């Protein structure tokens, strides 16, 4: 009842099952499945139930880094299956704002889809080689927000 096959691929799918009333702390989930030919597979998943549901970010990075003309911003979060407002501000090392990217990402899991950037400033001009800082700000539908600061390098 909880399995949904992938479109046009009977060999893959997703199991969605809500786990309710779990205590705070570490948990382990072991799952065994069978196909129609009675072949089985087994996996184990360890996870942590947090006391707070506040928005949190992890694994914030851009790839490739360093880059010449194109990179993508990636991040993980703890707000699956919801829309997130994302703002990325790119600064010179002296603090001058050169680019602002605003978008909304719809997430089905804990990793947001990559956000592309062509290495150009707000006026459409290519920026010079060097080290830059960026601030990734994420806001959920409840108004909670979180931000992380990272570095990127442009090579020309």
């Amino acid at each position: 009842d909880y399995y949904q096959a992938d479109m046009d691929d009977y060999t893959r799918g997703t199991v969605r099952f809500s786990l309710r009333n779990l205590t705070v702390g570490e948990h382990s989930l072991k799952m065994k499945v069978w196909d129609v030919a009675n072949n089985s597979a087994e996996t184990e998943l360890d996870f942590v139930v947090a006391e707070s549901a506040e928005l949190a970010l992890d694994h914030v990075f851009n790839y490739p880094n360093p880059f010449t003309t194109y990179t993508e911003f990636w991040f993980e979060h703890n707000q699956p299956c919801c829309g997130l407002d994302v703002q990325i501000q790119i600064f010179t090392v002296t603090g001058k704002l050169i680019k602002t990217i605003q978008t909304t990402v719809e997430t089905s899991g804990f990793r947001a889809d990559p956000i592309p950037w062509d290495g150009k400033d707000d006026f459409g001009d290519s920026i010079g080689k060097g080290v830059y800082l960026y601030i990734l700000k994420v806001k959920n539908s409840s108004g909670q927000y979180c931000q992380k600061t990272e570095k990127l390098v442009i090579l020309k």
Side-chain angles (χ1 to χ4, degrees):
D1 291 343
Y2 304 102
Y3 176 76
Q4 173 79 38
D6 287 350
M7 182 70 87
D8 300 325
D9 186 355
Y10 69 91
T11 64
R12 298 177 49 96
T14 304
V15 175
R16 292 187 187 262
F17 183 81
S18 182
L19 301 171
R20 302 189 189 286
N21 302 322
L22 294 174
T23 59
V24 173
E26 295 182 7
H27 296 271
S28 183
L29 177 68
K30 190 172 186 177
M31 186 168 167
K32 188 169 186 175
V33 295
W34 291 265
D35 65 11
V36 293
N38 207 27
N39 298 310
S40 67
E42 190 172 305
T43 190
E44 191 165 331
L45 170 72
D46 295 320
F47 62 97
V48 177
V49 174
E51 195 166 330
S52 170
E54 289 184 26
L55 178 61
L57 300 176
D58 199 14
H59 299 114
V60 174
F61 64 94
N62 68 294
Y63 182 82
N65 190 18
F67 71 100
T68 55
T69 59
Y70 180 83
T71 192
E72 295 177 333
F73 296 96
W74 296 75
F75 65 94
E76 293 179 359
H77 56 87
N78 64 343
Q79 306 282 305
C81 304
C82 69
L84 299 171
D85 293 325
V86 179
Q87 180 186 66
I88 301 168
Q89 293 180 306
I90 300 148
F91 298 87
T92 64
V93 290
T94 60
K96 180 182 175 194
L97 176 63
I98 58 167
K99 179 69 176 178
T100 300
I101 301 168
Q102 300 246 161
T103 188
T104 299
V105 294
E106 296 294 327
T107 62
S108 59
F110 296 99
R111 179 175 292 141
D113 289 337
I115 300 168
W117 181 46
D118 60 5
K120 296 184 179 181
D121 65 14
D122 281 330
F123 302 105
D125 299 324
S126 293
I127 61 175
K129 68 179 180 179
V131 177
Y132 294 84
L133 300 174
Y134 66 91
I135 299 174
L136 176 96
K137 297 177 184 176
V138 178
K139 185 171 131 182
N140 66 11
S141 59
S142 301
Q144 297 175 334
Y145 80 95
C146 190
Q147 71 181 37
K148 294 275 186 175
T149 303
E150 295 294 335
K151 292 183 212 173
L152 61 85
V153 177
I154 298 179
L155 301 175
K156 295 277 178 168

